[in-house]
Amino acid sequence: MSAVAASQSSAARSEQLYWWMLLAPCAFLALFYLVPVLNVLVLSFTVPRPGVANYAELANNAAVQRVLWTTLRIGAITTVLALAIGYVVAYALVHCGPRERQILLGIVVASFWISALIRAFAWIALLQSRGLVNSALMASGLIESPLSLVRNEIGVVIGMVHYMLPYAILPLYTNLRGIDDRLVPAARALGATPAQAFRWVFLPLSLPGLIGAGVIVMIFSLGFYITPAILGGGRTIMVAEFISVQISETLRWGLAAMLASVLLASVLLLVTWLSRFMDVEQALRK
Amino acid sequence: MSMSDAFAQSRLPLTRIIAWLAAAFLLLPLLVVIPISFTPERYLSLPTDSVSLRHYGSLVSDGRWSKSIVDSLLVGIGAMVLATLMGTAFAVGAWRLGVPLARRLRLLLLAPIIVPPIVHAIAFYRAWAALGLLDTYLGLVLVHAMKGLPFVVLTVAGTLANLDPRLEQAARSLGADARQAMSWVIFPQIRAGIVAGAAFAFITSWDETIVALFITSRAVTTLPRRIWEGLADNIDPAIAALGTVMIVLTFVAVAFTATRGASAKA
């Protein structure tokens, strides 16, 4: 009897241990992460004085509107380009031979791991006025004066697509791989042209993958800081860089906190929407 | 090769050409960094007449670069240890208890991936100023541990998903106490997941730039912070040397995992 009681109490003790293991990291995160992040939301309503004055800037401040518009525009362009290129790459990955697949996937995954700073450096070296692209074009006599390819919106879009492309390819590849590869030949056997088989069979089946990958690229594009800040050269300013300038130079904490809250809310909305199409955890796994 | 494969490949040429062009777009800009790193000049250029290792040398001899490398290693290891401990504890607890609450808490732990880094920068700047943690190793280790935590949870939970919770109960009913069950039954089974999670946590810290820019200044200068400063003013070719080292390491790591994956399948 007492042995049973002892083993029961030890089972309860071990249960208790697992609860500690579960809850201690959460408590840590709640205290050191959640509270500071929620405080940003609070700041947006309290600094410099209580009220919604910071949010009124969304309607009144032309600079704020321009930055938000630039962010949306570049985010949308990046998403469309990354999806278009990513879809073709994912399609080729699914349908090519194993050796080719291994090399292509290796390139995609390896580039995925290279830091945004090193990539920005590489693009500056390539695209600046005395950079390799301009030097090559001028040496070949195609152009007489250097093209301005960087420290403007073109540079930002090139750098962002380069950074986001693996984020589009990998979820799309997972999705396309899951499509039954007998369906398209079946449609062809029933008389569909290749284009019709793609349009009416393959494309609709890949729609969840397209939406999922698009939302992921958009989420990261909206908040992206390093690439636009370096390749935009202070001329093409996206919202994250604008926020950082408000804090470090003009010291407008309220405005910065408001824009950060708007950014956070947009990202959370997109994630909620994403969760309708795919397993968010799966999508975020590197 | 099945018939559908043959069918698919027959109409693939254009798709494959575009895919290889995209791969070149991903790869070539990175490869450009390698020749630049051998330039004998002080400014960003391709080597023309001769090559030089001076920029590799300055990574070691220039005190600012070497301090940054050491700082990044220290912060990265600290963040990795903390994130791995917390993430593994959480994942094992959630797996063993299997309660609905655990599923919801997992979403909380994923937040650091989803929340834009600039929001983190503001949040931690304010909080760490209040706690006196600005420009301290502890302050940055805490931040980076929280940013690495989701990756540990995802990878460890991924390996645990294939493990039956009754295994632990079986060990317990055979007389193992909770600690013994953990170290002899659970951990050996999920070691690969923990190691992968730890690697993710370290790389997350090694790469993290924006929060470091906000909450550190002179005492702690991680590598990304140093590169950022090097990009802002006169672009230093030492960045190309560092980039080359990191690119080569990344490709070696990817090739290594790819061959290991291939041999595991074979």
Side-chain angles (χ1 to χ4, degrees):
Chain A
M1 190 65 199
S2 69
V4 172
S7 94
Q8 268 173 358
S9 88
S10 109
R13 261 206 314 278
S14 93
E15 185 99 330
Q16 208 175 17
L17 173 76
Y18 289 105
W19 275 107
W20 272 108
M21 288 169 64
L22 181 74
L23 293 178
C26 296
F28 179 85
L29 208 66
L31 199 63
F32 289 105
Y33 182 81
L34 216 53
V35 170
V37 170
L38 290 177
N39 186 43
V40 175
L41 205 62
V42 173
L43 285 176
S44 73
F45 289 105
T46 55
V47 175
R49 64 194 71 78
V52 292
N54 291 319
Y55 289 86
E57 301 274 316
L58 287 177
N60 305 327
N61 189 326
V64 167
Q65 289 168 350
R66 198 169 53 239
V67 163
L68 289 176
W69 171 238
T70 306
T71 308
L72 271 179
R73 186 179 62 236
I74 294 182
I77 295 173
T78 302
T79 306
V80 168
L81 287 176
L83 277 186
I85 304 170
Y87 194 90
V88 180
V89 176
Y91 189 90
L93 276 173
V94 173
H95 294 106
C96 67
R99 174 136 195 86
E100 195 174 350
R101 178 180 310 137
Q102 204 183 9
I103 299 172
L104 279 172
L105 260 183
I107 292 173
V108 173
V109 171
S111 73
F112 192 74
W113 286 109
I114 306 293
S115 86
L117 283 164
I118 300 295
R119 299 186 198 210
F121 172 82
W123 282 115
I124 285 184
L126 277 170
L127 300 177
Q128 66 179 345
S129 55
R130 285 171 304 151
L132 300 179
V133 170
N134 272 317
S135 306
L137 287 176
M138 283 177 31
S140 68
L142 282 171
I143 54 170
E144 280 171 16
S145 57
L147 303 172
S148 101
L149 299 171
V150 76
R151 307 206 190 277
N152 55 27
E153 193 162 325
I154 298 174
V156 176
V157 168
I158 294 174
M160 298 253 304
V161 172
H162 189 249
Y163 192 85
M164 295 299 168
L165 197 47
Y167 284 92
I169 293 173
L170 295 174
L172 274 169
Y173 171 57
T174 311
N175 172 263
L176 297 193
R177 207 177 38 179
I179 295 175
D180 189 334
D181 63 0
R182 290 166 307 185
L183 289 172
V184 169
R188 296 276 287 121
L190 291 169
T193 65
Q196 284 172 328
F198 177 79
R199 171 70 186 81
W200 298 109
V201 179
F202 197 82
L203 189 62
L205 287 168
S206 60
L207 212 53
L210 268 172
I211 295 174
V215 175
I216 291 170
V217 174
M218 195 71 185
I219 287 171
F220 289 115
S221 295
L222 288 182
F224 214 76
Y225 180 81
I226 296 167
T227 304
I230 293 174
L231 299 179
R235 256 169 269 170
T236 301
I237 297 179
M238 290 177 66
V239 67
E241 188 185 3
F242 188 78
I243 291 171
S244 130
V245 171
Q246 298 314 308
I247 293 169
S248 54
E249 282 161 37
T250 57
L251 302 176
R252 295 183 65 183
W253 276 93
L255 184 64
M258 180 277 286
L259 285 171
S261 305
V262 170
L263 185 58
L264 184 59
S266 326
V267 166
L268 290 181
L269 271 177
L270 281 169
V271 172
T272 314
W273 192 54
L274 172 68
S275 66
R276 287 177 43 189
F277 296 98
M278 59 198 315
D279 179 5
V280 177
E281 289 192 19
Q282 194 70 45
L284 293 174
R285 198 165 290 165
K286 281 203 179 183
Chain B
M1 189 187 287
S2 73
M3 229 169 74
S4 59
D5 275 353
F7 166 79
Q9 286 200 341
S10 69
R11 46 177 301 252
L12 213 53
L14 182 63
T15 331
R16 276 165 71 194
I17 291 168
I18 299 175
W20 279 101
L21 286 176
F25 168 70
L26 283 175
L27 193 60
L28 294 180
L30 302 174
L31 297 186
V32 159
V33 173
I34 297 171
I36 294 174
S37 69
F38 292 108
T39 185
E41 311 292 345
R42 282 173 184 283
Y43 53 88
L44 205 58
S45 58
L46 285 177
T48 44
D49 300 330
S50 60
V51 294
S52 152
L53 290 173
R54 61 184 286 187
H55 299 299
Y56 290 88
S58 70
L59 290 181
V60 188
S61 60
D62 183 333
R64 289 172 307 168
W65 282 110
S66 51
K67 179 188 184 317
S68 294
I69 293 171
V70 172
D71 277 5
S72 269
L73 282 172
L74 287 176
V75 172
I77 291 168
M80 176 182 77
V81 170
L82 196 55
T84 308
L85 285 175
M86 290 196 300
T88 306
F90 177 88
V92 171
W95 166 78
R96 174 62 179 71
L97 293 168
V99 287
L101 173 70
R103 288 179 68 82
R104 263 175 243 135
L105 286 175
R106 252 167 89 147
L107 287 177
L108 166 71
L109 265 71
L110 290 182
I113 307 184
I114 300 158
V115 172
I118 189 71
V119 180
H120 290 151
I122 304 184
F124 289 126
Y125 184 87
R126 296 293 289 213
W128 274 207
L131 295 171
L133 287 171
L134 285 181
D135 207 19
T136 63
Y137 288 94
L138 178 63
L140 199 56
V141 165
L142 288 176
V143 171
H144 287 188
M146 286 185 273
K147 297 203 77 162
L149 184 58
F151 297 108
V152 179
V153 172
L154 285 175
T155 32
V156 176
T159 33
L160 280 167
N162 305 318
L163 202 63
D164 191 334
R166 283 174 303 188
L167 212 61
E168 191 264 359
Q169 285 154 354
R172 304 266 303 124
S173 73
L174 291 170
D177 64 32
R179 199 178 49 81
Q180 288 170 325
M182 204 105 77
S183 53
W184 292 342
V185 179
I186 302 174
F187 281 130
Q189 303 268 357
I190 58 170
R191 196 182 299 138
I194 297 174
V195 170
F200 284 133
F202 179 82
I203 294 166
T204 305
S205 166
W206 183 263
D207 252 4
E208 200 284 326
T209 312
I210 301 158
V211 180
L213 286 178
F214 274 78
I215 69 161
T216 63
S217 56
R218 266 181 288 270
V220 186
T221 316
T222 58
L223 215 40
R225 193 190 161 89
R226 181 78 196 86
I227 298 175
W228 176 270
E229 283 159 9
L231 285 177
D233 37 73
N234 201 2
I235 296 177
D236 185 347
I239 299 171
L242 181 69
T244 302
V245 174
M246 283 169 37
I247 289 164
V248 169
L249 286 178
T250 306
F251 276 87
V252 168
V254 169
F256 179 71
T257 19
T259 45
R260 264 188 35 162
S263 62
K265 259 178 264 163

